[in-house]
Amino acid sequence: PFSRTEIFSGKAVTHEDIKYEQACVLYNLGALHSMLGAMDKRVSEECAAGAFTYLRDHFPHSYSVDMSHQILSLNINLMLGQAQECLLEKSMLDNRKSFLVARISAQVVDYYKEACRALENSETASLLGKIQKDWKKLVQMKIYYFAAVAHLHMGKQAEEQQKFGERVIYFQSALDKLNEAIKLAKGQPETVQEALRFTMDVIGGKYNSAKKDNDFIYHEAVPALDTLQSVKGAPLVKALPVNPTDPAVTGPDIFAKLVPMAAHEASSLYSEEKAKLLRDVMAKIEAKNEVLDQFMDSMQLDPETVDNLDMYNHIPPVLMEKCAALSVRPDTVRNLVHVFPVGWEGGLMTPRAQVPRSPASQCLDCRVPASGCPQPGSPPGLAEVSKECSKYLELHEKASFTNTELHRVMNLHLGNLRLLAPDPAPPPDDKQVLQNLKRILAKVQEMRDQRLSLEQQLREMIQKDDITTSLVTTDRSEMKKLFEEQLKKYDQLKVYLEQNLAAQENVLKALTDANVKYAAVRKALAEVEHKWNTTVQTLVASYEAYEDLMKKSQEGKDFYTDLEGKAAKLLERARAACQASEAHRQQLLER
């Protein structure tokens, strides 16, 4: 059982119904809102009628008298009337048009008339007792007062329209209603009496001035009030919405973990519906992804290396290292050229020329006699010189071959050291093909990223989707309808995914067309890359061959220096042998 005390009678009321407890909490919430509204500044049109309206529309009225339909209607219209008063005051301070102010004031009158009807109900009167009379008198005073304000502004509108007869009757009606309000205001606080006196000064002054002007200047007929169109109220206030299931209003649900078994079962069914939705969507995504992956694998297109042009903007690190090593040795090429030895054919031919070419010494010209043995009577020195000269010439011939080969290798590497790298820039048409291909590949990646993002959003949304609270308060017969309504929240995300999947066919078609045009460009770029890599390897090889060239050139230089010394000695011996041969020949002639 839940027990509460009626607000007016003071009697205890008990019901074995949780809804009664909820109704009492809502009633007190409405009372609290009314107190906060009375304490707040009169600048907001929101009011405390929301809790009372929800209570009247969603709960039985038989729990207690203070929660009867009449009492709740009284409370609602009192709250709405006071909220409309706040709006009226703001409109007057903002100098709104007279007709609008009149309509707002007329709506205040309408709200208070509804409240007055609820107060005049017999049940309400018996419940409230003396309070009923005081409240009814105050509400009636407000009805007359705000009716006077409404007619005051209707008279001001007639004045603006130069309808001077209507102006008089509106101001006269306003004055009459204000006098009625003053009669009903006896016993009200001094602040109310002061407001009434101020209003009387305004309306009385307006009426006297209007009547005098019409009597002496305009002479318009003054129509009867009931012949004029009544002022229709403009309801511009709203009840402060109250939703007992909104955590912003009620705070965290203290019974959140107390879920009936039926709600658990329904939650499992809803989870299966979500899983089915996810399976359907993922099947479509995976099918499209498989097609996309196979297509991209067959194309062998990597967006990062479609053209490889960036690699030509920088010297490879291995080559930079060799350049740095050479930069500290600026005379590298000149030293290599200067160290290369010159031919020695003339030096070796000199001693051979010293040998006479007479018939008697033909064997010396051939360095070895035709018979394979020295001629009788030949000087032994000439045979030795000729033999040694032949030995040096043979060495020289071998060295000349090595010298020529070394010279060729040196010239090859000298050229590489001075080589200018090839220009890899493609023609303008090829650039357009590359740009188009890159753009479409970027579209493919964008499509992939968007698809993955949408998939993650869907998974997160499904994971966080918990409707247990709604299931607890939903009848079993309404579960299917609730599921359908809840699953609609995924429709927009599914639309985005369908659009993404549908776009794949067009994107791949465009990529196919672009790849056809790219084929010739790809071949040209492959050739440029091969040439570039070959050049880099050759340049590195030239650097690494430099030390070997220098060593071999120095060995060649040393060899020719030694050969030069031996040739010089051979020359002296050849001269001596020739002189001896000449003397021997002279002796033979003298005989």
Side-chain angles (χ1 to χ4, degrees), residues 99-100 102-107 110 154 229-235:
F99 183 64
L100 176 60
R103 290 193 61 193
I104 294 173
S105 187
Q107 185 62 44
D110 291 344
M154 287 301 294
Q229 186 178 0
S230 60
V231 185
K232 186 178 180 181

Side-chain angles (χ1 to χ4, degrees), residues 375-393:
Q375 292 291 329
S378 298
L382 283 178
E384 293 177 4
V385 169
S386 179
K387 183 179 180 181
E388 191 166 350
C389 183
S390 297
K391 174 184 174 183
Y392 289 163
L393 284 173

